[in-house]
Amino acid sequence: MKILFIGVGHMAGSLIKGITKSTSNKKYEIYINNRESTVAKAQELNVKPLVNLEDLQNEGIEVIVLGVRPAQLKEIAIVLDQFNLTNVTIVSMLSGISADKITEAFGRHPKLKIVRIMPNINADITKSVTGICANHYGEKSIDEVFDIFSNCGSVEKINEDIFSEFTISGGCTPAYILFFLKAFVDAAVKSGLEYQTALRTIIGSFEGTIANLKKSSKTPEAIIGEICVPNGVTIEGIKVFENSNLEKIVFEAFNKALKKDKEH
Ligand SMILES: NC(=O)C1=CN([C@@H]2O[C@H](COP(=O)(O)OP(=O)(O)OC[C@H]3O[C@@H](n4cnc5c(N)ncnc54)[C@H](OP(=O)(O)O)[C@@H]3O)[C@@H](O)[C@H]2O)C=CC1
Ligand SMILES: O=C(O)[C@@H]1CCC=N1
């Protein structure tokens, strides 16, 4: 299957690395277009450059993955709309842009097959959690698109009416988790730990805790209870989180991002 990625920045680059890393049977032929840097990026990622988008028909491209920013959809849709896209599936990773809005942008193709995905930046190490949904015409292609992105981690079918909520939960949380992790590293460094030691220690603690939670049947609250020795040390930090209403802060951050996603 021939797949063309248009717009190869952080997210599409991570997805391409994930797909090329885990596809052992050479099932996919990956092409990219990233304006002037098409050839250089193709070399870097070891995929094929498609410098002129007019060649997409001659090359027999079956799936076009849009990796541009939401604000760049219109300019790319105008270009693609000139071609016959009857046998092409458009895959969009654009946050907040509904399948209907994508169809609107492609004015000449009212029956465009559209599949939306919401991956995260961990795709290159095949650890993305990717949401997927399709419009009516794209339903026929959803399973093959599901298979493509299964090479980047797990994939969840999500109703489009809850796609924004998935976006914050799966797409944004890597940044929020790293923000939290960094705050701990900074605190440890301020307390006197050397930076690399602090980073190694906090990363190790995150990794171990997540692995433990995954294999355990216990809830996060139960494990917190086991760590907080009565009258011990950990509980003092938990009290600060509780008194500063950290949960409310997280809820507000989640909902602020959600509102923005729904505003598009
Ligand atoms: N970053 C993330 O973690 C996630 C991002 N997403 C979604 O992925 C999309 C891309 O995000 P991200 O990778 O972070 O953004 P980037 O800005 O890193 O990547 C966008 C890329 O598109 C290229 N581009 C822009 N216009 C065109 C065009 N007309 N033709 C060809 N290439 C073009 C840019 O090239 P140039 O360098 O020349 O400007 C750039 O390389 C967004 O829609 C976002 O919502 C989804 C989930 C997670
Ligand atoms: O910040 C963004 O808009 C994108 C969508 C999900 C993660 N990054």
Side-chain angles (χ1 to χ4, degrees):
M1 175 184 286
K2 296 189 175 186
I3 307 169
L4 168 65
F5 283 77
I6 303 180
V8 183
H10 298 109
M11 192 58 247
S14 179
L15 286 164
I16 292 169
K17 284 180 194 157
I19 295 168
T20 50
K21 197 180 282 175
S22 40
T23 306
S24 48
N25 57 9
K26 304 268 176 261
K27 200 169 157 189
Y28 305 117
E29 248 179 278
I30 298 186
Y31 293 72
I32 65 150
N33 177 287
N34 196 82
R35 304 196 275 212
E36 307 84 57
S37 56
T38 299
V39 173
K41 287 218 175 188
Q43 274 169 0
E44 182 194 318
L45 292 162
N46 200 18
V47 293
K48 297 184 177 175
L50 192 81
V51 175
N52 297 313
L53 288 177
E54 302 91 72
D55 292 335
L56 72 90
Q57 237 119 34
N58 295 338
E59 289 293 339
I61 300 293
E62 297 157 85
V63 174
I64 297 178
V65 184
L66 303 179
V68 296
R69 295 183 190 172
Q72 295 160 330
L73 170 66
K74 284 208 176 106
E75 68 180 79
I76 205 71
I78 287 169
V79 176
L80 291 177
D81 217 16
Q82 320 163 52
F83 309 121
N84 179 359
L85 302 175
T86 315
N87 297 318
V88 173
T89 300
I90 300 288
V91 176
S92 165
M93 68 183 81
L94 280 57
S95 63
I97 308 289
S98 67
D100 282 351
K101 286 245 169 71
I102 298 168
T103 307
E104 225 173 84
F106 287 76
R108 293 184 57 221
H109 291 87
K111 295 185 177 177
L112 198 62
K113 291 184 255 178
I114 299 169
V115 177
R116 289 183 66 192
I117 58 164
M118 184 44 59
N120 76 27
I121 206 71
N122 300 321
D124 58 339
I125 55 156
T126 69
K127 291 281 186 196
S128 174
V129 284
T130 301
I132 190 167
C133 68
N135 71 349
H136 172 68
Y137 303 103
E139 273 299 333
K140 291 173 215 123
S141 321
I142 197 167
D143 288 335
E144 63 191 23
V145 177
F146 189 105
D147 286 348
I148 297 169
F149 294 100
S150 295
N151 289 295
C152 300
S154 62
V155 184
E156 303 245 3
K157 286 190 183 172
I158 301 289
N159 283 334
E160 192 175 22
D161 58 8
I162 204 95
F163 218 68
S164 289
E165 285 75 2
F166 183 90
T167 295
I168 317 310
S169 309
C172 304
T173 44
Y176 304 152
I177 290 164
L178 289 170
F179 193 94
F180 198 55
L181 181 147
K182 181 186 174 296
F184 273 104
V185 174
D186 289 349
V189 169
K190 276 192 191 136
S191 79
L193 232 60
E194 185 267 328
Y195 175 74
Q196 287 302 337
T197 310
L199 188 64
R200 244 190 345 266
T201 307
I202 307 292
I203 289 176
S205 196
F206 267 68
E207 272 178 350
T209 307
I210 298 304
N212 200 351
L213 180 65
K214 271 185 91 173
K215 79 160 182 41
S216 160
S217 55
K218 294 171 193 161
T219 62
E221 297 91 306
I223 302 175
I224 292 171
E226 290 176 8
I227 303 165
C228 291
V229 172
N231 235 348
V233 182
T234 318
I235 192 67
E236 293 303 316
I238 295 283
K239 280 185 205 160
V240 174
F241 293 149
E242 282 174 349
N243 293 337
S244 346
N245 217 337
L246 183 63
E247 280 190 28
K248 183 166 172 268
I249 294 170
V250 171
F251 185 78
E252 276 174 17
F254 190 103
N255 281 290
K256 199 79 192 227
L258 187 58
K259 185 167 176 279
K260 173 86 178 182
D261 197 80
K262 286 177 185 263
E263 264 169 21
H264 279 290

